[in-house]
Amino acid sequence: RGNLNSQSAEETLHSFRDVTAVATWAESGVAATMQVGIVTGRSTDTLAPKGYMTQADVAAMIQRLLKQLVLI
C-alpha cells in the first residue's frame, strides 16, 4: 500500500516540463496522487494537466486506486 512520503509537491512535480500548467490549488493533490502511484504523467517529462482523459486513462487510475486500497 502506497504511503505519502515527505517530498514536497514542488519536489514531486519539478521534473515535468509542463508543471506550470497545474493550477496552484491542485499542486498538492496532484503530487500526493502521484506519490502513491494513482496518477502518472503522460510521459517521463509531461503531465498534460490541461489535456483530455480517455476512458482507458480513467479506468487505469481507478484500477490503481482500488489496488492501493487493497480492494482488488
Side-chain angles (χ1 to χ4, degrees):
R1 194 171 188 187
N3 293 318
L4 290 176
N5 62 38
S6 61
Q7 260 188 333
S8 71
E10 184 178 314
E11 290 171 318
T12 300
L13 301 175
H14 84 278
S15 64
F16 295 96
R17 60 186 168 90
D18 58 352
V19 69
T20 57
V22 177
T24 304
W25 62 264
E27 287 177 356
S28 63
V30 172
T33 54
M34 290 186 78
Q35 287 176 7
V36 295
I38 296 168
V39 172
T40 60
R42 294 276 182 198
S43 68
T44 57
D45 69 345
T46 305
L47 283 171
K50 305 272 186 199
Y52 291 101
M53 294 181 72
T54 66
Q55 289 177 336
D57 294 329
V58 174
M61 284 178 41
I62 291 170
Q63 182 181 36
R64 290 189 294 264
L65 172 64
L66 293 174
K67 283 183 179 181
Q68 288 292 330
L69 296 172
V70 192
L71 294 174
I72 59 170

